Amino acid sequence: MSKEEISRRKKAGILFDSSIFKELQHDELFHHTKTFAVSVNTEYFRVPETLCVVMPGKSQQQGEAELPIDFTPDGVGHYPCDLTLKASDDVRLYRIECTVIPSGSVAELRFTTPAHTPVKQNVPVVNQTADKWLLKADITGSGFTGPRSMTAHAQSTSFYPLTFTPAFESTNKGQLKLMNTADGMEHTFSLVGVGEKPLALEHLVLHCTANQRKTVSIRVPNVTNQRLQYHVSSDLPIITGAKTISVLSLQEETFDVALLSRRRGDYSGALCFVADGKPFIEVDSDGDEVGGPAPPPTPDLEGYTVWYSLEVHVLPAPCIASIPVSCAYRSATEVDIPITNPGSSELTLQVALQGDELHGANELVVSPSSTEQYRLTYQPLSVGIKSGSVIFFSEKVGEFWYDLQLDGMTAEPVTLSPMQCELGRSSTQTVSLANPTGDPLLLEIQSPNTHNYSLNTKSPLVVPPKSTEDVLLSFTPSALGRDRHVAEIVFVSEKLGTLSYNVSGSGLMPRREEPLLQICAALGLTGTTVIPFTNPADLSVMATVRLTAESDASSWSLLLKTASDIALSPHSTLYIPINFKPSVMKAERGRCSVEICCANGEAWDAVDGAPVYKLHFHYPIDGIPEYTLPCTLKKQPKVVCVANSRVEEVFEAPLCAAEPGEEAFSYRLELASAASAADLESCVALELLKQTTCDDDDDKTPLLLTFNILFTPKGTFSHDVELVVTASGGAVWRFPVCFQATDPSFDDVIDIEAAGLGQTSIVKFSLTSQSNEPARFRAYFEGLKDTGVFSVTPVTGQLAPSGSTFHVAFKPRMYGKGYEARLIIEARNDRWMYKVRGVIPDYKPPKAQSAYKHLRSSACIR
């Protein structure tokens, strides 16, 4: 390749293409000197502006050149640097990092701890060299201690254990020097130790007995270099002892304290020994000082304190006597305890009762040389043996007490009020079950007579703690009189034992009618009802059934094969089917009577001295005729209105087959479900405009009722209801009506453009109250499939007359999907609906582009 061709390829930037590079690398024309511009990005490094490098030829393996670098740090730390070499066709980048370590380190360590309490700090020593260090320690300052030497291992962090134990409540300063024996480098630490108020030397737990003295020995140390005299004090009045104690230097003495408490209990406090700082002067028997003149006072020792925290448990003395007391649960008993005052002055005793079941006065006054009776009441809350006590105390005589052996026995049976009821019916009374304990009470129920008595709860019954549960007891007689209606109802509990209730009841003659029954039937068609009659007696009976009518007997029929001498076993049921077929639009009253007598022919009972052989039960029945429209006229009218608007329609209701003279009518809308009631009750108004008489070709004179229907729906729905018209004679006409509320037009359309996938965009708008007063509102979305995409704030609040601001947020989750929902805002009498659409920007995929325009071989740079 010619010299001109090489020059041309250099300018074109393709000289180092791999296809020709192998031929050029042995060509002498290829050997040349390349000049690099040199730069650094920090002031701590200095380099020459240029560097010349001879590129490789036949006789050289690679081009080399030395670059001098000057590094001038301004202190300890880490210094990074980027070195850049630039040529016309070559760029090289180097990273240089230098770390400057100190010749020695100085740091301050601060210790804070109560006097006499050591605190330890591990001082870190970092050895980044490849050799281990042997360090000698030199410590100055009062209270600081540590080992004389340590080894800092190579390439690791070692710790020197330094301990500070202050002897006084003061601030001490010192110094720690760690010297490397190999190179003499010192690591110096300034030490500050703060001694705070001392903690208790020990927590002492002492025990003694009320009204009995006990002596306890306590050690008192002196860690100073001077003999100290302590002043002794305590905040516990039950502790007595010497006022002072002297302790030799660096020794300890025992101090005897006496414990004497007049009453039982737990006490806590402190026993303090405080030095006055004055030197202790020892004198001989003549009063002369021993050992020469006294040394001067030491101010540092004034107030020097050692102390103990005390916990004293005073146990009761033996009781005066043990008194057994027994009582049944739900009862109370009284106990009198004689208390004698042999002294010449009045004695006032404080009284404490131990036991939740004991009650009495908390004070007793006994006159001089007399005896008073202290009366307490024992009312057991559970059964079983328990312990209790009554404690008397005064400062004069101290404490004395009596032990009570409490025996809670099973409760006596309770007799409930007598019950009475007509045969075939039931009466009730309430049974109250109390739980005086602090735990749930589990009661098992036992009731042998289940034919006549029943409870409205199941076994077991749980009564909450400290509460009362009322249970309803039902009585159903099975005979006349009270001979067969005696029972015992028992509640069994582990804590309360057996709770028995005795109950009796009387069966009375049936005199009242049974509740009124109704049969509804369309005009000319048959309606049926079934009356279940249950034999209330404990013996077999013969029954006779009769059906009577007040006016038209042809409308009623009894569907029994035989209506007399029907045999019924005890407590069995006879089902009596009755038909009602109205011929006119007028209500009819019927009566079904059941007569029973004993199957053995005996009398039921004697009333006013006369035997009763037959019992009668009466069931009144109302037959209600209803008019059903013919199939050709069953086209259901429909009232349709757009939500948030109103519509009025006139509705005509022909009362076919109405009886002449009927003028008074009542009407109502019969709603089929709770949903229809919630939607229609507040938005439908019904008004009777007029009633007219119409002539027709069938010689009938039906009445025509004209209604005005006002329909003002707030939401969208569709409900089928019935307009029910009732005549004063009891006849009923039913007219089906459909109320349908359709979707309204949107008040506005809100478009929200997304800021990006997973990002929130917000649109604001204002609404004002349509009245002069604030109106409470509720805002929500309808038709929202993806939760979290749209949201509105606030959700509830007050709509102000001056306007309230709403924020609608849109946060899309994926591209390529449209988002749409309905925003509803409801106030007191207003409703707004907005169509909210989320607009997603078009997705533009990224376009890839090569970072290199020309491919170069890595073999051209070394």
Side-chain angles (χ1 to χ4, degrees):
M1 186 181 297
S2 65
K3 187 175 182 180
E4 290 77 8
E5 180 65 17
I6 294 176
S7 176
R8 184 183 69 80
R9 290 181 177 270
K10 276 186 178 182
K11 293 179 180 181
I14 59 174
L15 177 63
F16 300 102
D17 286 353
S18 59
S19 59
I20 62 172
F21 182 71
K22 291 182 180 180
E23 298 180 3
L24 289 177
Q25 63 181 350
H26 300 295
D27 196 331
E28 290 297 333
L29 295 176
F30 186 64
H31 299 167
H32 63 282
T33 300
K34 184 179 292 187
T35 302
F36 291 90
V38 186
S39 62
V40 292
N41 65 341
T42 176
E43 60 183 359
Y44 301 108
F45 292 83
R46 293 196 301 273
V47 294
E49 295 182 354
T50 60
L51 176 66
C52 295
V53 179
V54 178
M55 301 306 294
K58 292 181 179 179
S59 61
Q60 291 179 298
Q61 297 298 324
Q62 60 181 4
E64 294 181 353
E66 293 185 355
L67 177 64
I69 301 176
D70 292 336
F71 173 52
T72 308
D74 61 356
V76 177
H78 187 71
Y79 297 84
C81 173
D82 292 336
L83 174 64
T84 306
L85 304 179
K86 292 184 179 180
S88 59
D89 58 352
D90 194 357
V91 177
R92 306 187 186 188
L93 181 63
Y94 299 89
R95 179 74 171 180
I96 304 174
E97 295 183 359
C98 294
T99 301
V100 179
I101 60 175
S103 58
S105 60
V106 178
E108 182 179 279
L109 299 179
R110 190 175 184 88
F111 299 80
T112 302
T113 182
H116 310 297
T117 303
V119 61
K120 181 180 178 182
Q121 173 66 52
N122 289 322
V123 181
V125 178
V126 181
N127 182 3
Q128 296 181 347
T129 67
D131 301 322
K132 67 178 181 179
W133 296 345
L134 178 61
L135 303 176
K136 288 186 177 181
D138 181 18
I139 302 175
T140 60
S142 176
F144 296 100
T145 58
R148 295 184 178 181
S149 62
M150 69 165 291
T151 300
H153 296 281
Q155 301 294 330
S156 64
T157 300
S158 302
F159 296 93
Y160 178 81
L162 180 64
T163 303
F164 173 60
T165 308
F168 310 101
E169 185 180 345
S170 61
T171 300
N172 301 325
K173 294 185 178 181
Q175 191 179 65
L176 168 65
K177 289 185 178 181
L178 298 176
M179 186 185 69
N180 192 339
T181 58
D183 56 7
M185 180 182 294
E186 290 185 351
H187 301 265
T188 304
F189 300 89
S190 177
L191 307 179
V192 177
V194 178
E196 297 181 334
K197 290 184 179 181
L199 299 177
L201 290 182
E202 190 177 349
H203 179 71
L204 301 179
V205 179
L206 308 178
H207 296 83
C208 65
T209 303
N211 294 323
Q212 296 181 12
R213 182 182 298 272
K214 182 179 181 180
T215 302
V216 179
S217 297
I218 299 175
R219 59 181 183 85
V220 182
N222 179 8
V223 298
T224 69
N225 295 321
Q226 179 177 313
R227 183 174 183 176
L228 294 179
Q229 182 171 355
Y230 293 104
H231 293 273
V232 186
S233 63
S234 177
D235 57 352
L236 291 178
I238 63 174
I239 291 182
T240 58
K243 298 292 184 181
T244 60
I245 180 176
S246 62
V247 184
L248 296 176
S249 172
L250 301 178
Q251 295 187 21
E252 64 179 30
E253 296 288 343
T254 58
F255 180 79
D256 293 335
V257 296
L259 303 177
L260 178 61
S261 176
R262 307 292 287 174
R263 67 191 309 175
R264 73 183 72 185
D266 297 329
Y267 303 87
S268 59
L271 180 62
C272 301
F273 302 87
V274 183
D276 56 8
K278 298 179 181 179
F280 181 79
I281 301 175
E282 187 176 358
V283 296
D284 55 16
S285 59
D286 297 330
D288 299 327
E289 295 182 2
V290 179
T298 306
D300 292 341
L301 298 179
E302 185 174 359
Y304 174 75
T305 303
V306 293
W307 64 284
Y308 292 87
S309 63
L310 301 180
E311 181 180 340
V312 183
H313 299 283
V314 181
L315 305 177
C319 64
I320 301 298
S322 181
I323 304 174
V325 184
S326 61
C327 181
Y329 174 70
R330 294 191 301 202
S331 300
T333 187
E334 294 181 344
V335 179
D336 290 333
I337 301 177
I339 304 297
T340 301
N341 177 13
S344 59
S345 60
E346 186 178 76
L347 178 63
T348 301
L349 296 172
Q350 300 175 12
V351 185
L353 299 175
Q354 290 187 344
D356 296 336
E357 302 167 335
L358 300 175
H359 308 278
N362 55 11
E363 186 178 87
L364 177 65
V365 179
V366 186
S367 301
S369 302
S370 64
T371 300
E372 295 288 341
Q373 299 289 336
Y374 178 78
R375 176 166 294 178
L376 62 86
T377 303
Y378 170 49
Q379 187 175 6
L381 302 178
S382 60
V383 297
I385 303 296
K386 295 174 288 295
S387 295
S389 60
V390 53
I391 305 168
F392 300 92
F393 172 78
S394 74
E395 294 293 342
K396 293 182 180 180
V397 300
E399 176 187 291
F400 61 95
W401 63 288
Y402 291 85
D403 179 50
L404 303 177
Q405 297 297 322
L406 306 177
D407 183 9
M409 299 183 296
T410 302
E412 296 293 333
V414 176
T415 301
L416 299 177
S417 301
M419 305 178 72
Q420 58 182 10
C421 181
E422 294 182 8
L423 201 63
R425 294 177 178 269
S426 297
S427 63
T428 60
Q429 73 167 310
T430 300
V431 179
S432 297
L433 300 172
N435 177 13
T437 68
D439 300 319
L441 184 63
L442 192 67
L443 297 175
E444 296 287 344
I445 303 174
Q446 299 175 2
S447 178
N449 188 355
T450 57
H451 287 296
N452 299 118
Y453 296 97
S454 62
L455 297 170
N456 66 334
T457 185
K458 295 182 179 180
S459 181
L461 172 65
V462 179
V463 183
K466 303 291 184 180
S467 64
T468 300
E469 192 78 15
D470 291 334
V471 179
L472 201 63
L473 175 64
S474 297
F475 167 56
T476 304
S478 59
L480 296 180
R482 69 173 61 184
D483 295 339
R484 304 179 185 177
H485 304 136
V486 178
E488 181 184 19
I489 301 173
V490 180
F491 300 89
V492 181
S493 167
E494 292 183 1
K495 295 183 179 180
L496 305 184
T498 301
L499 305 179
S500 299
Y501 293 85
N502 295 327
V503 60
S504 62
S506 298
L508 305 179
M509 288 282 294
R511 301 186 184 277
R512 294 179 299 168
E513 290 186 343
E514 299 294 329
L516 181 65
L517 302 176
Q518 281 190 349
I519 303 178
C520 296
L523 186 64
L525 301 179
T526 300
T528 304
T529 188
V530 176
I531 300 176
F533 173 77
T534 301
N535 177 15
D538 291 330
L539 46 82
S540 299
V541 300
M542 304 300 293
T544 300
V545 182
R546 295 182 180 88
L547 180 63
T548 60
E550 291 185 356
S551 57
D552 186 8
S554 62
S555 300
W556 301 90
S557 58
L558 187 63
L559 302 180
L560 286 176
K561 293 182 179 180
T562 176
S564 60
D565 296 333
I566 304 173
L568 294 177
S569 59
H571 305 290
S572 62
T573 301
L574 171 65
Y575 294 95
I576 306 172
I578 297 175
N579 278 358
F580 171 65
K581 184 178 181 181
S583 58
V584 294
M585 290 297 288
K586 185 178 181 180
E588 297 283 347
R589 172 63 61 89
R591 180 188 300 271
C592 178
S593 300
V594 180
E595 177 187 286
I596 63 173
C597 60
C598 295
N600 55 13
E602 296 180 357
W604 290 98
D605 200 352
V607 178
D608 297 332
V612 177
Y613 291 94
K614 296 181 180 181
L615 301 178
H616 297 86
F617 301 88
H618 304 286
Y619 298 87
I621 310 171
D622 273 351
I624 307 298
E626 292 185 351
Y627 187 84
T628 303
L629 292 176
C631 296
T632 56
L633 301 178
K634 282 189 176 180
K635 183 178 180 181
Q636 183 180 20
K638 182 179 293 186
V639 183
V640 181
C641 181
V642 176
N644 294 329
S645 60
R646 56 178 287 164
V647 67
E648 289 190 48
E649 288 194 9
V650 175
F651 179 78
E652 293 183 345
L655 304 186
C656 300
E659 286 294 301
E662 287 282 8
E663 294 182 357
F665 299 93
S666 62
Y667 53 90
R668 71 181 190 278
L669 284 179
E670 190 171 279
L671 308 177
S673 63
S676 61
D679 290 336
L680 294 177
E681 282 181 349
S682 61
C683 65
V684 175
L686 191 62
E687 180 186 7
L688 177 61
L689 297 179
K690 60 181 179 178
Q691 61 183 55
T692 57
T693 302
C694 301
D695 297 330
D696 55 17
D697 299 336
D698 297 332
D699 263 347
K700 293 182 180 180
T701 57
L703 293 175
L704 182 65
L705 302 186
T706 304
F707 294 92
N708 181 65
I709 298 177
L710 176 61
F711 186 32
T712 58
K714 297 299 182 183
T716 59
F717 53 80
S718 179
H719 296 296
D720 293 329
V721 301
E722 284 186 339
L723 172 61
V724 180
V725 179
T726 305
S728 58
V732 174
W733 289 263
R734 295 180 178 271
F735 303 93
V737 183
C738 177
F739 288 92
Q740 184 175 2
T742 59
D743 287 332
S745 57
F746 292 104
D747 293 284
D748 202 351
V749 178
I750 302 175
D751 289 331
I752 308 177
E753 185 173 351
L757 200 64
Q759 300 182 13
T760 303
S761 304
I762 298 177
V763 170
K764 299 187 294 182
F765 67 93
S766 297
L767 278 180
T768 59
S769 174
Q770 301 302 305
S771 61
N772 295 328
E773 298 180 355
R776 187 162 186 81
F777 70 86
R778 181 171 70 101
Y780 59 93
F781 278 97
E782 280 186 352
L784 188 61
K785 297 181 180 179
D786 296 327
T787 58
V789 176
F790 289 108
S791 61
V792 59
T793 54
V795 177
T796 59
Q798 296 287 337
L799 196 62
S802 59
S804 299
T805 302
F806 292 85
H807 298 76
V808 182
F810 173 51
K811 185 179 180 181
R813 296 179 177 177
M814 63 180 66
Y815 286 108
K817 180 180 181 180
Y819 294 94
E820 187 174 306
R822 291 191 302 272
L823 173 62
I824 310 297
I825 301 177
E826 294 178 344
R828 184 182 306 159
N829 297 316
D830 301 289
R831 190 173 188 267
W832 294 269
M833 185 169 68
Y834 298 90
K835 185 176 184 179
V836 182
R837 296 184 300 193
V839 181
I840 301 177
D842 295 335
Y843 173 73
K844 295 180 180 180
K847 296 181 179 180
Q849 185 176 1
S850 175
Y852 299 96
K853 294 183 179 180
H854 304 286
L855 181 64
R856 299 181 178 179
S857 173
S858 59
C860 64
I861 299 177
R862 294 292 182 91

